[in-house]
Amino acid sequence: MYSKIKLIILGFIIFIFFPSNVLSAEIVTITSYPTSKNAGEEFSINFSAQGLINSASYYMKGLGGNTTTTTFTEVDTWNNGWVQQNGSWVSMPTFSANSEGSVSATLKVRFDPNVSTNTKDFKLRIRKTDADTNIDSGIVAIAVTAVT
């Protein structure tokens, strides 16, 4: 009986001092995006993320293509120049989570200028700068039109 009480108290203390680490899953949500863009034209993706490590730094990049074939090779990410989706993580832009483990941020991307026109699937991927686990947003559809 005494050990059960100790466990309950310990659990309560962990909950009080580490609630974000105990209760939160890492969630990335695209909050606004264009429904259509010309191939090669820069656009912004606004997103929020919760359940991150408090005040930690993360890389971010856009991925676009076709979920049927799981080919996400048609998006470039802006970081003082265009970086292809398969560029190294250290070449991608970064953001820092706030002290509560969340963030609202914007990522500049474009569909490759040579991509075929069609409706493309798009998702955002983040990764803690000192880890190798990816966290993906849900997929949104963006119509890609020809370069004018």
Side-chain angles (χ1 to χ4, degrees), residues 61 83-92:
K61 68 176 168 179
V83 182
Q84 292 184 333
Q85 64 82 31
N86 61 351
S88 69
W89 276 106
V90 296
S91 65
M92 297 297 168

Side-chain angles (χ1 to χ4, degrees), residues 1 6 23 29 34-35 46 60 66-68 70-71 73 89 97-98 109 125 128 131 133 136 140 142 148:
M1 175 73 174
K6 285 168 68 173
L23 298 177
T29 305
T35 56
N46 296 316
M60 58 182 167
N66 185 329
T67 54
T68 305
T70 63
T71 303
T73 59
W89 276 106
N98 65 22
V109 295
R125 176 169 286 168
K128 194 167 175 288
T133 303
D136 290 351
V140 297
I142 301 175
T148 54

Side-chain angles (χ1 to χ4, degrees), residues 40-113:
E41 183 180 5
E42 178 183 302
F43 60 96
S44 294
I45 298 291
N46 296 316
F47 70 96
S48 63
Q50 295 81 36
L52 306 177
I53 303 297
N54 300 351
S55 305
S57 294
Y58 289 79
Y59 296 116
M60 58 182 167
K61 68 176 168 179
L63 299 173
N66 185 329
T67 54
T68 305
T69 61
T70 63
T71 303
F72 281 91
T73 59
E74 300 175 336
V75 169
D76 303 325
T77 299
W78 180 258
N79 190 23
N80 298 317
W82 291 112
V83 182
Q84 292 184 333
Q85 64 82 31
N86 61 351
S88 69
W89 276 106
V90 296
S91 65
M92 297 297 168
T94 61
F95 68 88
S96 293
N98 65 22
S99 61
E100 296 171 352
S102 62
V103 69
S104 291
T106 300
L107 178 66
K108 291 185 186 237
V109 295
R110 71 175 183 183
F111 281 94
D112 187 275

